[in-house]
Amino acid sequence: MLYLEEIFMLPILAQSPVQLEAWFRERGLPAYRARQVRKWIFERRAAGFDEMTDLPLDLRGRLAEEFSIWSGRVAAHAKSADGAEKLLFEQADGNRVECVLLRDDRRHRTICLSSQIGCAMQCAFCATGIDGFVRNLSAEEIVEHALQLQRLLPDDERLSNVVVMGMGEPLLNLDGVLPALAAIASPEGLGIGVRRITISTVGLPKGIRQLAEMNCLYHLAVSLHAPNDELRERLVPANRGVGIGALLSAADYYFEKTGRRVTYEYVLLAEINDRPEHARQLAEILRGRPSLVNLIPYNPTPDLPFRTPASAVTAQFAEILAENGLTTAIRYRKGDRISAACGQLRRSHS
Ligand code: SAH
């Protein structure tokens, strides 16, 4: 049975700085307390109000009666030898969603956040799509994931980068994603600069243009995965009725508006989109576009029939792109032992 207080507790992460200040003011308390509380949550990584030792004891009690900090719980925590850690969250309604912390040797501490529970895009090779779409994540749920990932770091390490590349399609949940990223970017939140925040999209021209108009300067990554419409429609059904032409011109518009070079992601699937002619075709369609191509060797998913190309095939693909003047990187897999690709950990726990 739920107690009334539990039902009426306000999620503190849903309060904007202005709203939280108003809560203090309305109770005749100084507004700077709101900043103190936010600092405890975002910077000092407090797990509960009882840890906020520079607040009067009775105020700590009162906050704990009225607000909750966490709405979900960590249902599973996996670690891999390369430093990647993955959390499987159970949200208040019982739905499960993943997020990941990635470490590299250049002291980057990158978190990969989900935007939705499940996904409606049904990309042929992606584990998230198999179980379909459930619902959007709220802004406070997304921020909560970021904070819990931050809590995995030792005190002297900070998060440096954020990628919205977990479960779901972020451009179909801008109402959740944009306020969450605003809190993550804000100096009063996690203070991670917009240039170190990436939104990865399946490639919806309308959403890309909308984001460009907002001019919020996040780095945009487009999941292209194929150099022609026929193949892209097989791998990425969202391409149907849209087409690569419309997608690339929306991406060009994003660059025009923001000055930010777009990244094209290309998952390499053995014998499907990894042939030299695919590389040449890709170079052809991206020629003259300021861009970066990120080649991602496929991370195998048990229920799906795709395979990872041999590393020589991947290297040759990259070489053809480079010969044609494209800036190319191969994103070597991190965390594959912990099912780090989109949707894999959730499936292994269902
Ligand atoms: N919906 C967004 C963000 C989520 S997926 C998008 O499509 O970009 C993040 C990236 O991981 C996408 O490029 C996606 O195609 C890729 N991906 C999904 N499953 C994968 C797998 N098993 N191996 C490698 N990359 C995968």
Side-chain angles (χ1 to χ4, degrees):
M1 195 181 112
L2 278 175
Y3 293 101
L4 278 182
E5 302 90 272
E6 279 181 39
I7 296 171
F8 292 121
M9 292 245 270
L10 290 168
I12 202 156
L13 299 178
Q15 307 285 309
S16 69
V18 174
Q19 286 170 318
L20 199 58
E21 282 189 10
W23 185 89
F24 282 92
R25 263 200 224 97
E26 280 158 18
R27 283 153 188 81
L29 298 163
Y32 71 83
R33 294 285 186 210
R35 278 195 303 282
Q36 272 179 304
V37 169
R38 286 179 68 84
K39 196 172 168 136
W40 272 108
I41 295 173
F42 283 92
E43 243 183 88
R44 304 176 80 171
R45 308 177 192 181
F49 294 105
D50 52 334
E51 290 175 31
M52 302 182 183
T53 45
D54 55 2
L55 300 181
L57 201 58
D58 62 328
L59 178 58
R60 280 181 251 166
R62 202 159 158 192
L63 286 166
E65 275 168 21
E66 296 224 16
F67 292 106
S68 58
I69 303 180
W70 315 111
S71 70
R73 70 174 188 96
V74 175
H77 177 187
K79 295 184 196 183
S80 87
D82 62 15
E85 294 187 51
K86 187 160 195 165
L87 297 179
L88 179 68
F89 263 89
E90 186 169 297
Q91 301 301 151
D93 62 4
N95 279 305
R96 291 181 162 202
V97 65
E98 311 166 348
C99 55
V100 188
L101 166 71
L102 300 160
R103 297 176 156 95
D104 74 6
D105 39 16
R106 291 184 298 148
R107 303 189 54 196
H108 287 135
R109 300 291 177 263
T110 301
I111 55 173
C112 176
L113 298 174
S114 291
S115 55
Q116 299 180 315
I117 296 176
C119 186
M121 297 297 96
Q122 304 290 316
C123 297
F125 50 85
C126 175
T128 302
I130 298 174
D131 299 319
F133 173 71
V134 181
R135 68 166 171 86
N136 284 333
L137 286 168
S138 67
E140 57 271 22
E141 285 172 329
I142 298 170
V143 172
E144 178 169 340
H145 299 162
L147 291 174
Q148 291 287 19
L149 288 166
Q150 176 179 243
R151 287 168 50 78
L152 301 176
L153 293 177
D155 286 345
D156 61 343
E157 286 185 18
R158 287 175 49 84
L159 295 178
S160 60
N161 297 72
V162 174
V163 295
V164 186
M165 278 189 195
M167 303 174 85
E169 171 47 42
L171 298 192
L172 293 179
N173 181 22
L174 287 178
D175 287 349
V177 169
L178 291 180
L181 291 183
I184 287 168
S186 155
E188 279 196 51
L190 283 175
I192 298 173
V194 288
R195 290 175 180 276
R196 289 183 283 127
I197 297 178
T198 301
I199 298 179
S200 174
T201 173
V202 72
L204 307 171
K206 204 169 139 224
I208 293 174
R209 286 176 186 275
Q210 208 181 331
L211 202 60
E213 294 294 344
M214 290 176 190
N215 214 12
C216 36
L217 299 183
Y218 297 122
H219 181 187
L220 183 72
V222 172
S223 294
L224 192 56
H225 307 327
N228 61 65
D229 281 324
E230 194 238 314
L231 183 56
R232 190 162 196 267
E233 269 160 36
R234 274 170 42 212
L235 299 176
V236 182
N239 195 62
R240 290 178 197 148
V242 174
I244 292 177
L247 169 54
L248 294 181
S249 58
D252 291 345
Y253 183 67
Y254 192 83
F255 174 72
E256 242 172 67
K257 277 285 199 193
T258 63
R260 303 227 56 198
R261 194 169 64 149
V262 172
T263 293
Y264 292 96
E265 294 168 279
Y266 195 102
V267 172
L268 284 166
L269 306 162
E271 283 162 45
I272 292 188
N273 65 356
D274 66 340
R275 307 282 90 196
E277 60 268 26
H278 294 128
R280 284 190 283 272
Q281 226 181 346
L282 184 61
E284 191 57 44
I285 64 171
L286 295 182
R287 178 159 297 138
R289 297 192 143 92
S291 60
L292 169 75
V293 179
N294 229 333
L295 297 175
I296 315 166
Y298 180 60
N299 196 345
T301 299
D303 302 337
L304 298 175
F306 299 98
R307 288 178 300 109
T308 314
S311 52
V313 172
T314 302
Q316 189 193 21
F317 198 98
E319 212 175 287
I320 296 173
L321 297 183
E323 278 166 9
N324 283 277
L326 293 184
T327 314
T328 307
I330 302 175
R331 197 200 292 157
Y332 290 103
R333 286 184 281 162
K334 277 190 183 293
D336 50 349
R337 300 259 300 280
I338 54 165
S339 311
C342 194
Q344 292 180 341
L345 184 70
R346 185 178 70 150
R347 281 194 67 72
S348 67
H349 279 259
S350 56

